[in-house]
Structures are given as structure tokens and as C-alpha cells.
């Protein structure tokens, strides 16, 4: 963490140059991770980060930790969570999306299929629910409350930098496809 309380950040070029000396932790859902991740990255979904603190502390003692997600948002949250536990970690600026845009290699497990990034899933779900509420509200005025509820949730999400809808979507089967064996991952990190 920097003096301002924001996590340290590495650019794509900095991370690529130091990849062999970093322990990379991808905090996306297993489905997102399977669609392509940084070489050598370990998958610990953000909602399971608490279980991984002892293993991450051990890994951080041996090498720098680089937290990665699709865009950098969830990895920054992970860095903040780890900082509360006294564990230093950096986030990848631009996340996996930025990594791919720079033409750098991603690994995909055999049989891994593309899953939309969580931010994209949230936009689709929120937009669909707002539209449904507005359309249904033409016939049943009370249905507009659905749109109002989603709008309130989006405002709350922006103000708190959290996302309840993402937490719910992360539990859907396609986001859990090829779920990571967290026990094996944690054992590997404890080294």
C-alpha cells in the first residue's frame, strides 16, 4: 500500500518484466480464470480470499504478490483486504484485459471456455432488470420499483466500491465451471 492508502500498482510492462519473481494471484471467478489468465497465476476467487490469508502470508515472505482480476478493481480490493492483515501486495493496472491488449500471453486450461468478465455480466444483469422494470411498469406501475431498486443498488455499489450483484453472479454455475481446487492452491502457496 502507498502512503495514500491505495494499493501499489504495476503496469503491464513492469509485471511482464518481473513475472518470474512474483507470485501471481488471480481473484476472478474460476470461470473467468479458465477463460485465460497470466502465466503461472494461481486462482483464489475474491470471495474466498479470507481462507487464503495464511498461505498468502507465507507466499509473500518468499516473493512479491501480484493480485490480478479483469480490470484491476477486484484486485485492488484484494490488496486492501491483505493490507488489513499486514500482507503487502500490488495490483496489475488494467488487469488481465490490459495484459491481453498489450499482446501478452495468457494460459487457458484444457477445455477452458470463455466466460464474460464479471463487470460485463453485472452490466447485462442490471440493464436487463432496469429495462424489465420499466417495460412491466407500463402495465403494472409497481414494477417500476424493480428499476428503482437496481438504480439504488448501483449508486450504493459506486459509493462503497462493492458489488452485491457481482457476488450473486459469481455463484452461478458457469462462473464456477472448472472450479479451482483451493486446497491444492493453498498448499502450493505455502510451499
Amino acid at each position: 500500500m502507498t502512503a495514500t492508502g491505495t494499493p501499489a500498482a504495476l503496469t503491464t510492462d513492469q509485471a511482464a518484466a518481473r513475472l518470474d519473481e512474483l507470485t501471481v494471484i488471480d481473484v476472478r471467478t474460476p470461470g473467468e480464470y479458465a477463460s485465460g489468465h497470466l502465466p503461472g497465476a494461481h486462482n483464489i476467487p475474491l470471495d474466498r480470499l479470507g481462507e487464503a490469508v495464511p498461505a498468502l502470508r507465507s507466499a509473500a515472505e518468499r516473493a512479491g504478490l501480484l493480485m490480478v482480476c479483469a480490470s484491476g478493481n477486484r484486485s485492488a480490493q484484494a490488496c486492501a483486504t491483505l493490507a488489513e492483515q499486514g500482507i503487502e501486495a500490488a495490483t496489475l493496472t488494467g488487469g488481465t484485459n490490459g495484459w491481453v491488449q498489450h499482446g501478452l500471453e495468457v494460459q487457458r486450461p484444457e477445455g477452458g471456455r470463455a466466460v464474460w468478465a464479471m463487470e460485463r455480466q453485472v452490466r447485462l444483469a442490471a440493464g436487463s432488470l432496469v429495462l424489465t422494470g420499466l417495460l412491466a411498469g407500463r402495465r403494472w406501475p409497481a414494477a417500476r420499483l424493480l428499476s428503482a431498486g437496481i438504480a439504488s443498488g448501483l449508486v450504493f455499489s459506486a459509493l462503497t466500491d462493492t458489488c452485491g450483484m457481482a457476488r450473486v453472479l459469481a455463484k452461478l454455475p458457469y462462473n464456477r465451471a472448472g472450479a479451482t481446487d483451493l486446497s491444492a492452491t493453498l498448499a502450493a502457496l505455502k510451499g
Side-chain angles (χ1 to χ4, degrees):
M1 291 291 239
T2 64
T4 62
T6 57
L10 296 180
T11 66
T12 303
D13 293 334
Q14 291 169 327
R18 296 183 49 204
L19 199 58
D20 59 337
E21 62 189 62
L22 296 169
T23 300
V24 181
I25 307 297
D26 192 318
V27 297
R28 297 177 299 162
T29 66
E32 290 176 289
Y33 174 82
S35 68
H37 56 271
L38 271 65
H42 300 277
N43 184 220
I44 301 175
L46 185 60
D47 63 347
R48 306 217 33 214
L49 195 64
E51 300 170 50
V53 167
L56 291 170
R57 184 180 316 283
S58 178
E61 290 170 359
R62 292 188 309 278
L65 288 180
L66 178 64
M67 309 307 281
V68 179
C69 67
S71 65
N73 225 7
R74 287 176 280 175
S75 58
Q77 290 175 7
C79 288
T81 299
L82 293 176
E84 291 170 1
Q85 300 295 319
I87 302 170
E88 283 190 40
T91 184
L92 177 63
T93 303
T96 306
N97 294 341
W99 186 267
V100 170
Q101 288 172 353
H102 276 80
L104 296 167
E105 172 193 0
V106 293
Q107 293 177 332
R108 289 180 178 83
E110 192 171 315
R113 62 177 182 67
V115 172
W116 283 4
M118 188 56 63
E119 290 87 355
R120 187 175 180 192
Q121 291 180 46
V122 167
R123 289 192 305 266
L124 176 67
S128 298
L129 290 170
V130 167
L131 185 59
T132 299
L134 291 174
L135 292 174
R138 295 181 68 182
R139 175 138 179 139
W140 303 283
R144 292 184 190 137
L145 292 174
L146 174 62
S147 298
I150 297 299
S152 298
L154 291 171
V155 169
F156 179 80
S157 175
L159 293 174
T160 61
D161 200 21
T162 61
C163 188
M165 188 176 289
R167 287 191 185 119
V168 171
L169 291 171
K171 298 189 183 313
L172 293 175
Y174 59 85
N175 281 321
R176 291 287 178 199
T180 302
D181 180 354
L182 189 58
S183 298
T185 300
L186 298 180
L189 289 173
K190 284 184 179 177

